[in-house]
Amino acid sequence: MTDIDMGRLAAAYACTVQPQSSFDFVADLLTQRFSPRLMTFFAWSQGSDLCERVWSNNLEKYPVSIGKKMGPTAWGHTVLRKKQPWFGEDEAAMQRTFPDHERIKTVGCASCLSAPVVAGGDAIGAISILHVEGTYHTTDLDDLSALSGLLVAPLLMRASVRDHDLFAVN
């Protein structure tokens, strides 16, 4: 990242509209690097079967605050439990992995890169970027994994805000 990007990141983290401004900034960086057709960020709690979509570049077909039962899948085992990136290189991999693969296909996607967002040794979420088959390669996983760390602060801010709201005195 350049000095300009670091300044924009600091401004995004400092913004009062959290975690949205931080999610939007990270999404801009990922879009510059990967030009995804579909991109989603998930929050995840250890041991849960559900990932909650917290950001999407296609709110019509992939709205936020929707749970996706990915914990018990092979994807969940790799990305969430083993904290390793995952590459779905073609439509067959997408069919084996995602219960909503038909919906994914309707937005023109047949490949996916996913990376865990890890804080304190635990996966707290994940990024998935999708495009047509052949757009991405296994070598792209290194960049996605490195950039996934930028979502630690917004995901923790989101959790903190939710916990605070749960215990707020009315």
Side-chain angles (χ1 to χ4, degrees):
M1 280 198 325
T2 66
D3 289 343
I4 293 169
D5 289 337
M6 292 301 291
R8 286 182 49 224
L9 175 64
Y13 285 173
C15 184
T16 58
V17 182
Q18 290 301 335
Q20 188 65 44
S21 65
S22 297
F23 288 149
D24 290 344
F25 172 79
V26 175
D28 285 346
L29 283 180
L30 291 169
T31 298
Q32 289 172 28
R33 168 58 181 87
F34 296 103
S35 301
R37 281 197 174 183
L38 177 64
M39 178 168 45
T40 57
F41 303 158
F42 295 98
W44 184 66
S45 296
Q46 293 290 315
S48 175
D49 285 346
L50 291 177
C51 288
E52 181 185 351
R53 189 177 306 113
V54 296
W55 190 95
S56 169
N57 70 342
N58 187 336
L59 292 172
E60 183 180 320
K61 289 198 177 197
Y62 290 89
V64 296
S65 300
I66 300 296
K68 189 170 180 179
K69 194 171 184 175
M70 295 301 293
T73 66
W75 180 95
H77 178 74
T78 299
V79 176
L80 302 174
R81 290 181 172 76
K82 290 176 68 178
K83 299 174 287 260
Q84 296 176 348
W86 177 85
F87 177 44
E89 65 279 358
D90 57 24
E91 190 173 338
M94 303 293 281
Q95 287 176 345
R96 287 190 306 271
T97 305
F98 297 116
D100 61 341
H101 63 88
E102 287 296 327
R103 180 185 295 173
I104 292 169
K105 191 175 175 179
T106 67
V107 293
C109 296
S111 68
C112 176
L113 297 172
S114 294
V117 178
V118 180
D122 293 325
I124 61 169
I127 298 171
S128 288
I129 61 169
L130 300 89
H131 213 298
V132 298
E133 186 175 327
T135 301
Y136 303 125
H137 306 282
T138 55
T139 54
D140 293 318
L141 289 171
D142 290 338
D143 285 352
L144 185 62
S145 294
L147 291 168
S148 72
L150 296 174
L151 284 178
V152 169
L155 285 174
L156 292 176
M157 283 188 269
R158 177 188 168 276
S160 176
V161 167
R162 290 185 91 184
D163 289 346
H164 176 74
D165 288 347
L166 290 175
F167 299 107
V169 177
N170 293 327

